[in-house]
Amino acid sequence: MTDHATLLKSCAGGDRAALHALMEAEGGRMLGVARRMLRRVDLAEDAVQEALVLIWRRAHQFDPERGSARGWVYTILRNRCLTLLRREDREVATEPEAFDRAADGAVVNQAFDRLGTTSDLRRCLEGLDKQTRQAILSSYVLGHSHGEIAGRMEAPLGSVKSWVRRGLGKLRACLS
């Protein structure tokens, strides 16, 4: 049987192996508890991970005179689950693929529309073809890599790299 109090004391001292041992001993049960509370596997996994991080950071706060180490661990997990449930109430579930494409297009369009009509950058971006402008804005506004842009635009990676490279050259020339 695992001595949770000793493992927590070791965690407080910076022993990563103790956290690993605690995770090995309780991780499966923690995930089960979180799944029952949250009713979603993805949220349960997040709750367990966040709880383990908190256990690592707060292990020095454990006081064996106030309760059992195992109870302390599950209290942290329970609180993380409740926090995630509160957050979840405010969120509206959307399919990730639909959200990504719709949100990306909307954000890029909003960023472009927010440029003043007399802005030099807007004038120069308008001078680019649509694909090049979309690739550059996706890269700089959304922070997407060339590979992500290629996947979202359903275009070859080499083409996206060329669009961005040539487009940036045209923007430099136009803005100088």
Side-chain angles (χ1 to χ4, degrees):
M1 180 142 178
T2 306
D3 182 11
H4 294 75
T6 303
L7 290 175
L8 288 175
K9 186 176 181 181
S10 297
C11 285
D15 183 6
R16 291 181 181 176
L19 180 66
H20 187 266
L22 185 66
M23 184 181 72
E24 289 292 318
E26 293 298 324
R29 278 186 286 276
M30 290 173 74
L31 185 59
V33 168
R35 286 177 75 173
R36 280 190 298 281
M37 285 184 75
L38 298 169
R39 295 191 173 115
R40 280 185 45 193
V41 175
D42 58 332
L43 287 179
E45 290 169 350
D46 288 346
V48 171
Q49 179 179 354
E50 290 176 20
L52 288 169
V53 169
L54 286 172
I55 290 165
W56 173 256
R57 289 183 182 159
R58 296 180 182 169
H60 66 279
Q61 295 175 350
F62 170 68
D63 182 4
E65 292 180 12
R66 296 184 67 198
S68 73
R70 193 171 187 198
W72 187 81
V73 165
Y74 282 93
T75 298
I76 289 177
L77 175 64
R78 178 185 171 276
N79 291 339
R80 293 309 315 150
C81 288
L82 292 174
T83 299
L84 287 173
L85 279 172
R86 284 185 208 110
R87 266 192 232 147
E88 187 68 17
D89 287 343
R90 292 184 215 129
E91 295 177 6
V92 176
T94 305
E95 291 299 318
E97 296 81 20
F99 178 76
D100 284 349
R101 290 213 170 110
D104 288 355
V107 170
V108 167
N109 291 336
Q110 285 175 353
F112 182 71
D113 292 341
R114 286 185 181 168
L115 291 172
T117 54
T118 59
S119 163
D120 288 338
L121 180 57
R122 183 182 182 109
R123 178 182 50 80
C124 292
L125 282 168
E126 285 174 340
L128 300 174
D129 63 272
K130 184 179 178 183
Q131 290 175 322
T132 301
R133 181 173 54 243
Q134 183 77 22
I136 289 173
L137 289 173
S138 292
S139 178
Y140 285 90
V141 172
L142 300 171
H144 289 156
S145 67
H146 290 131
E148 290 171 320
I149 296 167
R152 291 174 194 284
M153 293 180 72
E154 298 178 357
L157 178 61
S159 297
V160 169
K161 288 181 178 182
S162 295
W163 296 336
V164 171
R165 186 181 64 251
R166 289 184 196 138
L168 289 175
K170 289 177 182 178
L171 285 176
R172 267 188 227 103
C174 179
L175 291 170
S176 55

